[in-house]
Amino acid sequence: MPILSIIIWGCLLLPLAVALQSGYSLLRNYLVARQTGLRFHVIPISHLNHFWMLVDRKILHYVRKYFGESAFTRYNWMGWELPDRYSSHYELGDVFMLVTPGRNWVYIGHPDIVMEVVRRRDDFPRCVELTQVLDVFGPNVGSVEGQRWVTQRKLMASCFNEQYNETVWSESISQANDMIRYWTSRPSVRSTANDLRTLSLDVLSKAGFGKSFKFEGYEETSHINPSASYKDSLQLILEHCILIIAMGPKFFMNTPWLPRKYREIGQAVAAFQRFMTEMYESEKSKVAQGISGTGGSRTFLSSLAKASLDAKPGEGLTEREIYGNIFVINFAGHDTSSHVFTFAVYFLAANPGVQDWLSEELRHVLGSQPPHEWDYTNFPRLKRCLAVLYETIRLYTPVPVTKWTKDKTQTLNIGDKTLVLPPNTMMCLAYSCLQTDPRWWGTDSLSWRPSRFIKSAPANIEEEEFVQPRRGTFVGWSEGARDCPGRKFSQVEFVATLASLFRDWRVDPLTFEGETLDMARERVLNLIKTDSAMVLLQQMLHPEKAPLVWSRRLD
């Protein structure tokens, strides 16, 4: 009985102790926030509470239902920035704060202040505490700082070169043409998101690691064997990335009593580690023989291995850092690309005029050449395709950019005032505000209109100019020294894929009973708006609810 009493009291007192600690931390952060002079809201649960991240939307649904809207229901869930857009900044100012029991979060919604933050990267570094969850196979360029970041960034940048991008171009065209053959062989397609994930993974496999795979549509794909190949193991890892990050890879590898589905994740992790080791050892051997990355065999892995092994002592990467960067490039290059692809295809399905606009450019630049003859030199000429990418990312950026003050007090100029930020203050570049604020983007800032990035030239498409957005108003690939090293990769992949899909083909939503085509397009736009959210990245949650129909262009 005494033991039972201890257990019962422990169960009662532990939540009370957690609540008291949380309340004390919230009060302390509230007092700090008052001293900054910023306007702020107080929310009771930390943004970084992992349990809350799993249940936030479900619980807040009932809180709203019975208690109405409040700061708690408006801000205390992952991804609140997307529906809020610029509303909070118009209410609270260009800079405001959210007070939580963990840390105080400052949201910056003015481009001039954003640029000051990114230029002062030593004062406002990226918060690696958030990105270290990606250290699944080792430290990587997104999770280290200081000299290790300088070393990794330098070597990574050397891998993303024009020869590499040519491989991305040709493989994207090949995969996209196989994909459109699959799509047009069916009366309608519900697997758009899955198929775009496959395309993205296949392009990465070829350009990154020299592994070629024939495109297989979702309904053609057999059951994945997690140990069969590099692609199968990686695909399973990426599909369960949140679980692996939360529990750690060793949990799935060393826990034999798990259900088969989760044991297969462990098998995939072990297999992927083995494949990475084999590929790296092979590249080391080629470097020793002087044949690594020669001719058309250059890949991300060969470039990374050669650059690291050729570096002076202390300036290369460790083997764990090699593996860590292989994984993070796969994660970042695969998931972000596939989600942006999905948004873009559905926006295009709802906007036939933009499809015509794209096809006009594609036919002017590419003529009637078969896709396998398209040369990489055409990439910079396809400005309208690039505009579709920018406009899609403007409205649905996959990854937010977060900085912090770390362990020092910092100052920040806001207009004619100087803001004093205490240590451990989180700072968010408010992408959803910056990229939709009517002050920078016009009265139609919430509309998807790719032509906003094009300065037209009525006489000649070739004379059109791509309009780069004002610095600080577009942070889709981050900004400053820590911007995304794979920016050009993603642009080349996207433009090549779009060219393959929309020169000769068009897409429409499948009309449901009683619908006109215009009504179906409005339904697709509404699905994008209401059924998109942050999971680990910003994505459409259920695109399969809007099947698509592909057909050959008649004009």
Side-chain angles (χ1 to χ4, degrees):
M1 291 300 292
I3 295 177
L4 180 61
S5 297
I6 292 172
I7 293 174
I8 292 173
W9 277 106
C11 292
L12 292 174
L13 292 175
L14 182 60
L16 179 61
V18 171
L20 289 173
Q21 173 62 34
S22 180
Y24 169 76
S25 299
L26 188 62
L27 176 61
R28 180 192 61 206
N29 290 341
Y30 166 78
L31 296 174
V32 169
R34 289 189 60 180
Q35 295 175 358
T36 66
L38 290 174
R39 297 181 69 182
F40 61 86
H41 284 295
V42 179
I43 54 178
I45 303 173
S46 171
H47 282 320
L48 303 181
N49 183 310
H50 290 173
F51 174 75
W52 179 247
M53 290 165 69
L54 294 174
V55 300
D56 54 7
R57 278 183 286 236
K58 295 182 181 69
I59 292 177
L60 290 177
H61 168 76
Y62 292 102
V63 175
R64 287 190 190 95
K65 182 176 180 179
Y66 294 109
F67 300 99
E69 282 286 357
S70 63
F72 177 41
T73 57
R74 182 175 181 180
Y75 299 110
N76 216 161
W77 54 284
M78 187 169 67
W80 65 266
E81 300 95 332
L82 183 61
D84 191 82
R85 295 299 187 183
Y86 50 82
S87 298
S88 289
H89 285 278
Y90 273 39
E91 295 169 16
L92 303 172
D94 288 330
V95 181
F96 72 90
M97 181 179 285
L98 292 182
V99 178
T100 82
R103 294 186 177 126
N104 288 341
W105 292 67
V106 171
Y107 291 83
I108 301 171
H110 194 285
D112 294 343
I113 307 172
V114 164
M115 292 311 300
E116 181 181 352
V117 169
V118 298
R119 288 185 186 117
R120 293 167 55 188
R121 65 183 179 91
D122 292 331
D123 295 337
F124 303 110
R126 178 167 289 187
C127 183
V128 295
E129 288 183 15
L130 301 181
T131 54
Q132 280 175 344
V133 296
L134 295 176
D135 286 357
V136 176
F137 294 97
N140 57 76
V141 70
S143 66
V144 296
E145 54 187 344
Q147 189 55 45
R148 289 316 301 163
W149 175 81
V150 173
T151 298
Q152 292 200 27
R153 172 69 188 209
K154 181 180 178 181
L155 290 175
M156 292 282 284
S158 71
C159 299
F160 289 101
N161 51 58
E162 286 303 280
Q163 184 180 351
Y164 179 63
N165 289 332
E166 287 186 35
T167 304
V168 175
W169 171 264
S170 59
E171 187 64 16
S172 298
I173 291 170
S174 174
Q175 292 288 327
N177 276 278
D178 286 345
M179 183 173 68
I180 195 64
R181 278 194 287 271
Y182 170 73
W183 282 350
T184 54
S185 70
R186 279 156 171 73
S188 65
V189 179
R190 294 179 182 270
S191 58
T192 300
N194 299 99
D195 294 333
L196 288 166
R197 284 173 65 89
T198 297
L199 177 143
S200 181
L201 182 58
D202 287 352
V203 171
L204 262 174
S205 298
K206 174 64 175 179
F209 310 101
K211 304 289 185 182
S212 295
F213 298 97
K214 180 175 174 55
F215 175 86
E216 289 184 328
Y218 183 71
E219 295 177 6
E220 298 174 328
T221 307
S222 57
H223 176 69
I224 292 175
N225 180 346
S227 302
S229 71
Y230 154 83
K231 178 186 173 182
D232 283 355
S233 60
L234 177 59
Q235 186 169 337
L236 200 61
I237 288 169
L238 293 174
E239 286 175 359
H240 298 90
C241 201
I242 295 177
L243 271 178
I244 295 172
I245 288 171
M247 305 302 297
K250 291 183 179 179
F251 172 78
F252 296 98
M253 297 169 67
N254 301 330
T255 313
W257 47 264
L258 289 173
R260 176 183 173 182
K261 174 183 176 181
Y262 298 109
R263 291 201 308 273
E264 286 185 345
I265 296 175
Q267 294 169 22
V269 169
F272 185 64
Q273 180 75 60
R274 184 177 70 254
F275 292 134
M276 285 196 298
T277 302
E278 290 172 356
M279 288 189 293
Y280 179 60
E281 291 299 324
S282 174
E283 289 303 326
K284 283 203 299 185
S285 175
K286 291 177 182 178
V287 169
Q289 298 173 49
I291 60 173
S292 178
T294 57
S297 64
R298 185 161 189 155
T299 64
F300 172 79
L301 178 61
S302 65
S303 299
L304 187 61
K306 189 175 190 309
S308 186
L309 293 169
D310 288 350
K312 297 176 182 178
E315 295 183 5
L317 302 185
T318 66
E319 196 162 319
R320 286 196 72 241
E321 287 175 330
I322 294 264
Y323 299 148
N325 280 293
I326 289 173
F327 172 72
V328 83
I329 287 299
N330 276 289
F331 171 75
H334 172 254
D335 269 23
T336 55
S337 293
S338 61
H339 292 321
V340 171
F341 272 138
T342 302
F343 278 117
V345 167
Y346 275 88
F347 269 123
L348 284 161
N351 289 273
V354 180
Q355 295 185 53
D356 296 339
W357 182 69
L358 278 182
S359 183
E360 180 186 25
E361 177 186 68
L362 291 166
R363 294 186 175 195
H364 173 83
V365 173
L366 302 173
S368 58
Q369 282 184 316
H372 68 271
E373 294 182 6
W374 296 351
D375 193 84
Y376 175 59
T377 55
N378 288 314
F379 165 70
R381 299 172 64 194
L382 299 176
K383 307 177 190 74
R384 295 181 182 180
C385 292
L386 189 62
V388 171
L389 173 61
Y390 268 72
E391 181 69 346
T392 303
I393 291 177
R394 183 182 73 84
L395 291 178
Y396 291 93
T397 294
V399 186
V401 181
T402 305
K403 308 279 188 178
W404 71 328
T405 58
K406 204 174 179 182
D407 55 358
K408 296 179 181 178
T409 298
Q410 300 291 351
T411 59
L412 188 63
N413 294 323
I414 301 178
D416 57 355
K417 297 180 181 179
T418 299
L419 174 65
V420 179
L421 294 170
N424 294 314
T425 300
M426 304 298 294
M427 307 177 70
C428 289
L429 310 187
Y431 68 94
S432 198
C433 167
L434 292 163
Q435 294 173 185
T436 60
D437 192 324
R439 290 180 293 176
W440 330 121
W441 297 98
T443 55
D444 67 343
S445 63
L446 296 178
S447 299
W448 187 80
R449 182 172 62 83
S451 60
R452 75 176 74 245
F453 287 97
I454 299 295
K455 182 179 179 181
S456 61
N460 190 349
I461 290 178
E462 293 285 353
E463 295 178 4
E464 290 183 341
E465 296 178 22
F466 186 85
V467 180
Q468 289 290 346
R470 172 182 170 179
R471 295 290 300 277
T473 64
F474 187 93
V475 291
W477 287 280
S478 189
E479 267 281 11
R482 291 199 75 142
D483 67 347
C484 174
R487 177 197 296 242
K488 185 71 173 288
F489 174 106
S490 63
Q491 293 175 352
V492 172
E493 179 187 28
F494 186 92
V495 168
T497 300
L498 224 61
S500 302
L501 297 181
F502 288 98
R503 187 190 67 169
D504 300 323
W505 304 94
R506 65 182 308 111
V507 62
D508 293 298
L510 179 69
T511 54
F512 294 161
E513 185 176 354
E515 273 189 335
T516 64
L517 193 52
D518 284 340
M519 292 167 63
R521 289 169 180 148
E522 284 299 320
R523 172 171 50 79
V524 167
L525 290 175
N526 187 60
L527 181 71
I528 295 172
K529 182 177 180 180
T530 60
D531 198 48
S532 299
M534 182 73 72
V535 181
L536 194 58
L537 303 171
Q538 201 79 251
Q539 63 188 77
M540 287 184 69
L541 298 178
H542 302 99
E544 70 280 358
K545 290 181 177 179
L548 301 179
V549 178
W550 289 84
S551 59
R552 185 173 288 277
R553 298 187 67 87
L554 299 177
D555 49 339

